[in-house]
Amino acid sequence: MRYVSTRGGVPPTSLSEALAAGLAPDGGLYVPESLPRLEPSTAPPGDLADTCAWLLAPFFAGDALAEELPAICREALDFPVPRVPLGSDGASVLELFHGPTAAFKDVGARFLAACLSRLPRGDARPLTILVATSGDTGAAVAGAFHRRPGFEVVILYPDGRVSARQAHQLGAFGNNVRAFAVAGAFDDCQRLVKQAFADADLRAARPLGSANSISLGRLLPQMSYYAHAALGHWRATGEALDFIVPTGNLGNAFAALLARACGLPIGQIVLATNANRTLPDWLREGGYRGRASVATLANAMDVGDPSNAERLAWLLPTPEARSAALSADWVDDETIRASIRRVAESHGMALCPHTACAAAVLARRRADGDMRPWCLAATAHPAKFDSIVEPLLGLNVPVPPALQALLDRPAQAEPLAADFAALRAALLGT
Ligand SMILES: *Cc1c(COP(=O)(O)O)cnc(C)c1O
């Protein structure tokens, strides 16, 4: 399989090259040259890592990493991703948050790290993975590259706009990981990263690598949990599984669309956003209008101009194709709060604010008489957002052991102005 750019401006590229590059040289996002057709009945009966190796084999075919794929899947997907019932009406929750940093981004970040550490590099200097994060990406990437020889990690996060536990997590790795608290919004952090990648002198002095959600190495493995859950449901019932996916930059939900396009038994796909309603507006009105992000309770989804919209427009080029393939709905902060309370009261389940957006969208559909067995993608552990969830529920959410281990360590972040000269000086140590 070779990869091309959504903007069509680069020759077909190998997977290894696309993984190392991150963004395509023409500014577009890498996408597969063609979509493989997978026959569900040929999927192995094993665990998530087995499903992932089967699913991604055609995407790795012909690449230097192909032989390593099963080992990469074993290494990256070494935690459970259970699907648990939500009440008794057939709905379920796919818990993507049992990895080391308690959010679904562990899947993509660990897979990418497992790939990159197997790629030969013609440079003896360490590769600095530079990431902007609205909270969870930075921790997942830091966790995935922490203490990996040959890598350093630099995280930029918006000061004061991530939860206290997220901030602590970001600063708690130390060793080869540096966290910067940027005086600005997530969009400022993203702009600084883009400026750094565009600065040839800086990159010559300090080799940079990317790990943001546009990276193929994060996107591809995210297909595996949709595939695995859908195959399980299909084997048991003969039916496709429908998903509601909390959505920000559209990386997670795009993986579900891609898995379905390859023939996996996935039915409807619904995007659930917070008040950053660019995607629901686009799907309803037709014209894409990126905008500045607004701060919400579901902060990891505070994205006003989702990068992966470009991949969606590649996969589904017309408004008709898009509205046939998916739908989207958005919820405000009051609805997020009400959703967290309602699910806890009715089902005894604590949800993070992001997953609560999906639950609110499900509740609207149930109110309209839709009784399909929807599966909600649960993107983070509620304990990561204790300051929001606990006051609403009046109880403490137990902290998973991996998150507790990070919280028990001292944390340190360096303040940084939202200014490229400041980042450049910090990276070059000048
Ligand atoms: C990143 C994140 C999202 C949004 O995922 P996208 O791939 O950007 O759409 C949702 N929930 C949580 C908890 C996240 O960390």
Side-chain angles (χ1 to χ4, degrees), residues 102-105 134-137 166 213 218 222 225 245-254 272 279 298-303 306 308 352-355 377-381 384-385:
F104 83 91
K105 292 189 175 79
S134 55
D136 291 332
T137 292
Q166 280 179 313
S213 80
R218 286 183 50 189
Q222 288 172 183
Y225 42 76
V245 185
T247 298
N249 214 18
L250 192 55
N252 196 6
F254 187 78
L279 292 167
N299 65 23
M301 295 166 21
D302 290 348
V303 184
N308 284 300
C352 85
H354 314 81
T355 310
T379 50
H381 194 286
K384 236 177 152 171
F385 299 91

Side-chain angles (χ1 to χ4, degrees), residues 1-99:
M1 174 73 73
R2 293 186 303 173
Y3 293 81
V4 295
S5 164
T6 45
R7 300 193 186 167
V10 295
T13 303
S14 75
L15 175 67
S16 288
E17 281 175 290
L19 289 175
L23 198 67
D26 64 352
L29 279 60
Y30 281 115
V31 287
E33 196 174 31
S34 61
L35 286 184
R37 193 74 203 164
L38 289 155
E39 173 49 54
S41 62
T42 67
D47 62 11
L48 178 63
D50 294 322
T51 301
C52 190
W54 166 79
L55 171 69
L56 295 190
F59 290 90
F60 275 61
D63 191 77
L65 286 178
E67 232 171 82
E68 297 274 342
L69 177 62
I72 291 169
C73 296
R74 278 278 143 234
E75 179 188 322
L77 302 172
D78 62 348
F79 51 86
V81 181
R83 186 160 72 94
V84 302
L86 179 70
S88 53
D89 64 7
S92 59
V93 174
L94 186 59
E95 294 185 346
L96 304 175
F97 51 68
H98 295 288

Side-chain angles (χ1 to χ4, degrees), residues 124-403:
R125 294 172 299 172
L127 186 68
T128 298
I129 305 292
L130 176 63
V131 280
T133 182
S134 55
D136 291 332
T137 292
V141 169
F145 286 95
H146 188 219
R147 298 185 192 277
R148 250 183 215 272
F151 293 94
E152 289 172 3
V153 178
V154 170
I155 304 164
L156 307 184
Y157 71 89
D159 197 10
R161 302 233 191 156
V162 304
S163 79
R165 278 189 180 163
Q166 280 179 313
H168 189 101
Q169 219 183 6
L170 292 170
F173 288 95
N175 196 269
N176 62 335
V177 177
R178 266 172 97 185
F180 288 99
V182 174
F186 171 66
D187 296 331
D188 295 304
C189 299
Q190 231 174 0
R191 173 176 51 79
L192 292 176
V193 168
K194 279 192 188 142
Q195 284 174 298
F197 279 103
D199 184 333
D201 292 342
L202 170 63
R203 297 186 71 168
R206 183 160 184 176
L208 296 180
S210 113
N212 63 21
S213 80
I214 56 122
S215 170
L216 267 182
R218 286 183 50 189
L219 178 67
L220 295 176
Q222 288 172 183
M223 288 194 280
S224 67
Y225 42 76
Y226 293 109
H228 194 68
L231 285 165
H233 182 72
W234 174 76
R235 288 184 189 118
T237 65
E239 304 280 334
L241 187 58
D242 305 313
F243 288 98
I244 304 178
V245 185
T247 298
N249 214 18
L250 192 55
N252 196 6
F254 187 78
L257 287 163
L258 207 54
R260 186 178 64 184
C262 294
L264 273 299
I266 294 170
Q268 294 187 37
I269 297 171
V270 175
L271 316 181
T273 76
N274 58 27
N276 292 279
R277 44 189 281 192
T278 305
L279 292 167
D281 286 355
W282 183 30
L283 291 173
R284 202 181 49 249
E285 295 157 13
Y288 181 84
R289 201 162 45 85
R291 44 202 104 154
S293 61
V294 297
T296 76
L297 292 176
N299 65 23
M301 295 166 21
D302 290 348
V303 184
D305 191 5
S307 333
N308 284 300
E310 195 163 324
R311 281 200 173 106
L312 184 59
W314 159 81
L315 182 69
L316 302 161
T318 64
E320 295 72 31
R322 287 190 289 273
S323 47
L326 78 167
S327 55
D329 203 356
W330 68 277
V331 299
D332 61 17
D333 275 357
E334 214 27 70
T335 308
I336 292 175
R337 286 193 193 91
S339 175
I340 292 173
R341 278 200 215 96
R342 190 185 47 76
V343 172
E345 276 161 21
S346 330
H347 309 303
M349 191 186 277
L351 299 182
C352 85
H354 314 81
T355 310
C357 294
V361 169
L362 171 63
R364 280 183 195 159
R365 293 189 169 238
R366 288 283 187 257
D368 289 343
D370 170 351
M371 295 314 289
R372 302 173 79 87
W374 289 99
C375 178
L376 311 182
T379 50
H381 194 286
K384 236 177 152 171
F385 299 91
D386 57 315
S387 57
I388 296 166
V389 175
E390 291 182 351
L392 288 170
L393 304 187
L395 50 80
N396 290 338
V397 178
V399 179
L403 179 57

